[in-house]
Amino acid sequence: MKQQLKSQIIEALNLVDLKPEDIQDDAPLFGEGLGLDSIDALELIMLMEKNYGIRLSNPAEGKAIFRSVGVMAEYISQNHTK
Amino acid sequence: MIRVLTRHIVTPLGGNLAANWEALLAGQSALRRYEGNASLPEPYVASKFDDRTPLPGHTLFETWVVRALRDALAQTAVDTASPRTLFILSSTKGNISLLETDSATEAALLPVAAANIARSVGFTSEPLVVSNACISGVAAQVIAMRLLQAGSCDTAVIAGADVQDRFIISGFQSFKALAPEPCRPFDAARQGLNAGEAVAVMVLQNVPDNEVAETDWVLLRGAVRNDANHISGPSRTGEGSYQALQSILEDVNTEALAFVNAHGTATPYNDEMEAKAITRAGLQNVPVNGYKGYYGHTMGAAGLLETILSQQAVDCHTVVGTRGFETAGVSLPLRLSAAHHPTGRQAFVKLLSGFGGCNAAVLWARKGAIPELLPRGMEPKPGLPRLREIATFSLSDTSLTELYRSCVGDYPKFYKMDPLCRLGFIASELLLRKAARSGQEPAPAVILFSRAGSLCDDLRYQATIKPDSFFPSPAIFVYTLPNIVTGEICIRNGWNTESSMFLLPRKDWNRMLSVVRAAMMDAHASRVLCGWVDAPDEDRFEADLRLLQKDFFDYTDFQIRIHNGSIETTAQIPDHRGSQPRRSQA
């Protein structure tokens, strides 16, 4: 699941020079981690909706969920609808 | 003086300025809730026209603009057929809904729409399209003012409009930027913007001072500046908006200003950014208002609509209240009010900001108010500068990714860009490398031209909003604004300079240089990175850029050369009149 999620993140955010194994499970995605920005956060919201049927109506919720791949995978496993 | 000859607005609140003014005074809003729409699953609040029947041979977008232009010009003696009459179209997405049918990509291009409109209204000169995201309507005023001052035309007819349908609404929904209620500019509880539809027309002429009446509206100054911060988020310090304000406020007696009409989109970030820019510019004691609570964000029309309403408000001695505002929700105190207030002042500032990090400001006054507004007098009419070529670079149909890897390599954001931005980014990097810089040169303005604009990315975005697979992508949507490429270049280089995007039917250096030279009348711009960037599809594209500098020597115009294909540089030394360019092959 984490492996698959990493591939999906790399594809959705065009992180061309990264491989799934370059992303640590607990490394921060934003800020110092992968250097993602606000548009990436919105794109991750769409990724969850498209691939896992999870709708976040309040984008502010994303901040906690997108802390790391590990946290995101945990949230998806508890909330996915597809 | 640059004077308003006539003005006209059509909105869901009324078919002309008088009807709109009556509705505004009564506090009416055109914002309504739309839901149960198969092509847009989420409900939204917007201001939309009920009549959606196009004229024969025209799209809905073209129909609105053609009708408004005919109505506006009917009251005037403007000779539309004169080659000295310039039609400027301000729009973000024009005929974009045509992309819903596969075969209509050509007709969806803004230069094509502009030509169709021009033909029906009777303009014979080639139209100029300003597509500078949400600042387009003010950017169009600025370029019209300069082209008139430069003598490039006698009359500038500016029209602004956008149709709010699936493409734009879904994009702003994906950005979580739309409010679920009528928007509340500058309020503590604001949740975002509402989309709006309107058409606005303004006709400007350059008239000898003694022919301008005391009550005529005069466009005194205008500026466009980039945040050099982010392609969608505004600067946290209001940098670009502040710099644009600073440019138009030099020696201005701010006590003569009736109000600052802000962008006031009611997104949390925009309004906070504007509060900072307005305060930094020393306007904290001037009333501030915004009209988005009446009309929503009318995109390509916004700058014209809100300027015309501001003129009307001053004519009627009124500061219009900010509908939707109750409790201040920005970190600095501004003079905001939900209620209308009387004013005796006869000048105002209009602000706009947009995606791509662009910001615009204009200073308007009735002629009679100019002595009080500018106690030290008006600056002398700016001269049209001569330009000297520092470097050129052209590029076509090669692998941009390979070029990026071999020549740049340290900017992973490159991979996020759409083809137009990749092209402009790489070409600008290599152009600057050719220019052999010392690092001390002033930052250049970035003024680019295109035909296809963001078409590649428009098609990619359209594919994410299919009825059977509706997952609008914010990362793709942001690049559907053609001016993002100018923002990417400013961000990469940290340039808080003017950034502008114009769309033309073909690459024409004479045309481009007339716009660039007029833009360089802005004293702030001593250099410009300009030229053609066009990427109709991912494998077929052309960039032809120049780095130019104002030439302070008496010097004849340089020869225009067309470059094809590979890398080529040209250096030209302004040592004596008529010197020939010295050319070196890379």
Side-chain angles (χ1 to χ4, degrees), chain B residues 141-152:
Chain B
Q141 295 172 34
V142 175
I143 195 62
M145 172 181 79
R146 291 169 179 166
L147 286 168
L148 286 164
Q149 285 169 340
S152 297

Side-chain angles (χ1 to χ4, degrees), chain B residues 86-164:
Chain B
L86 173 65
F87 168 44
I88 302 177
L89 178 64
S90 160
S91 182
T92 65
K93 295 313 306 169
N95 282 331
I96 197 67
S97 60
L98 292 179
L99 291 189
E100 288 173 17
T101 52
D102 295 340
S103 56
T105 53
E106 176 70 14
L109 299 182
L110 272 164
V112 174
N116 290 342
I117 294 164
R119 204 174 309 117
S120 281
V121 179
F123 296 113
T124 59
S125 65
E126 192 173 83
L128 181 66
V129 178
V130 178
S131 197
N132 238 10
C134 298
I135 72 163
S136 297
V138 167
Q141 295 172 34
V142 175
I143 195 62
M145 172 181 79
R146 291 169 179 166
L147 286 168
L148 286 164
Q149 285 169 340
S152 297
C153 56
D154 295 332
T155 303
V157 179
I158 318 171
D162 265 298
V163 179
Q164 298 292 357

Side-chain angles (χ1 to χ4, degrees), chain B residues 5-67:
Chain B
L5 179 70
T6 192
R7 55 196 188 188
H8 179 53
I9 61 173
V10 186
T11 82
L13 280 186
N16 57 39
L17 180 54
N20 274 278
W21 181 245
E22 209 170 292
L24 216 63
L25 278 184
Q28 293 173 20
S29 170
L31 294 168
R32 305 274 177 275
R33 188 175 162 88
Y34 291 83
E35 56 192 324
N37 180 339
S39 70
L40 278 164
E42 277 179 56
Y44 60 96
V45 173
S47 157
K48 293 176 54 135
F49 287 113
D50 291 331
D51 183 0
R52 305 186 89 74
T53 319
L55 287 168
H58 279 295
T59 62
L60 189 59
F61 168 72
E62 293 165 10
T63 297
W64 292 350
V65 178
V66 166
R67 280 199 185 124

Side-chain angles (χ1 to χ4, degrees), chain A residues 48-75:
Chain A
M48 291 209 303
E49 185 174 333
K50 191 173 176 178
N51 297 340
Y52 302 103
I54 298 173
R55 290 191 64 124
L56 285 191
S57 51
N58 179 6
E61 292 171 47
K63 202 172 177 182
I65 300 165
F66 304 144
R67 216 160 49 219
S68 68
V69 168
V71 175
M72 200 174 157
E74 177 73 22
Y75 182 83

